[in-house]
């Protein structure tokens, strides 16, 4: 694990990854390669969903894992590659896991704004000292973003949105110039993006974690765009708190 590192690896770190979809699957593989699950450390995988045929186009897992719980199938896959790693699978909602914040690092790779806000709110409400890393794909994969939330005094996940006089929520740091294209298969909706997008999101998250291991995860809010994307430039920065933020404004 130390062959390509000039900094401490993730050995002895307890890490929980919420979301074993496209982003989470590639990220989990990278975490194991950085030493997670070794020494006194462990990797906990949380996801209540099962792997469906429509997931195969942009997920790390393939046909042998079809219709299995994503958390369980991903654990089995990782243990085939790294049999000495300590990995736990939790095939249920993150809110049902009693030790959710009892780790060195909690990672939100769900890409679901509602879940991200829930985890952000729980972290603030319970005065959690350990960091929470959010990572997601923006639009149709034009860019990927991440936010490292800790007790540094910087803004939280909810601070990425502001409200106008009509209480409409708006992007505080708008990046997309066009509305994302949406797709639908039967009664299920989805956002199309290239298979490279979850890989880029996982890579961005890994780079933030590496900076954390080096001693400083700043800039805590990061945006990484692909070439030729129709996007606005967003500065990588430690965002300030939004006045009257419903999540962290009163803390």
């Amino acid at each position: 694990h130390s062959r390509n590192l000039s900094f401490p690896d993730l050995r002895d770190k307890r890490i929980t990854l919420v979301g074993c979809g496209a982003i989470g699957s590639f990220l989990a593989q990278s975490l194991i390669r950085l030493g997670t699950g070794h020494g006194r450390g462990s990797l906990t995988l949380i996801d209540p969903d099962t792997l469906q045929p429509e997931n195969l186009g942009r997920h790390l897992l393939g046909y042998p894992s079809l219709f299995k719980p994503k958390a369980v199938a991903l654990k089995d896959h990782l243990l085939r590659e790294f049999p000495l790693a300590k990995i736990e699978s939790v095939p249920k909602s993150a809110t049902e896991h009693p030790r959710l914040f009892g780790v060195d690092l909690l990672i939100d790779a769900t890409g679901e704004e509602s879940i991200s806000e829930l985890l952000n709110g729980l972290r603030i409400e319970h005065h959690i000292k350990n960091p929470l890393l959010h990572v997601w794909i923006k639009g149709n994969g034009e860019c990927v973003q991440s936010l490292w939330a800790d007790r540094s005094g910087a803004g939280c996940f909810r601070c990425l949105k502001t409200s106008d006089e009509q209480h409409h929520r708006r992007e505080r740091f708008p990046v997309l110039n066009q509305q994302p294209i949406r797709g639908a298969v039967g009664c299920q909706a989805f956002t199309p993006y290239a298979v490279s997008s979850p890989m880029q999101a996982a890579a961005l998250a890994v780079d933030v974690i590496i900076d954390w291991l080096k001693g400083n995860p700043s800039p805590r809010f990061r945006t990484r765009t692909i070439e030729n994307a129709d996007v606005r430039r967003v500065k990588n920065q430690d965002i300030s708190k939004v006045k009257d933020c419903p999540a962290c404004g009163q803390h």
Side-chain angles (χ1 to χ4, degrees), residues 24-119:
S25 62
F26 288 105
L27 181 51
Q29 181 178 244
S30 299
L31 292 172
I32 291 293
R33 284 188 160 87
L34 276 172
T36 306
H38 294 81
R40 297 186 301 276
S42 62
L43 175 62
T44 300
L45 306 171
I46 301 179
D47 196 306
D49 295 334
T50 58
L51 189 74
Q52 298 297 315
E54 59 267 23
N55 300 138
L56 296 180
R58 53 194 192 190
H59 202 281
L60 176 70
L61 301 176
Y63 270 81
S65 301
L66 270 177
F67 308 117
K68 296 180 180 178
K70 290 180 181 178
V72 175
L74 185 56
K75 171 187 174 181
D76 293 343
H77 174 81
L78 294 173
L79 286 178
R80 283 193 293 270
E81 296 189 343
F82 295 91
L84 301 182
K86 292 189 285 292
I87 306 174
E88 177 187 6
S89 61
V90 181
K92 55 186 179 182
S93 170
T95 58
E96 300 177 58
H97 187 56
R99 304 184 306 278
L100 184 61
F101 287 96
V103 290
D104 298 297
L105 173 62
L106 177 64
I107 304 174
D108 164 31
T110 63
E112 295 287 343
E113 184 177 358
S114 58
I115 298 177
S116 300
E117 289 212 7
L118 173 64
L119 295 176

Side-chain angles (χ1 to χ4, degrees), residues 26 116 216 231 233 251:
F26 288 105
S116 300
N216 185 7
V231 295
R233 179 177 176 82
H251 294 272

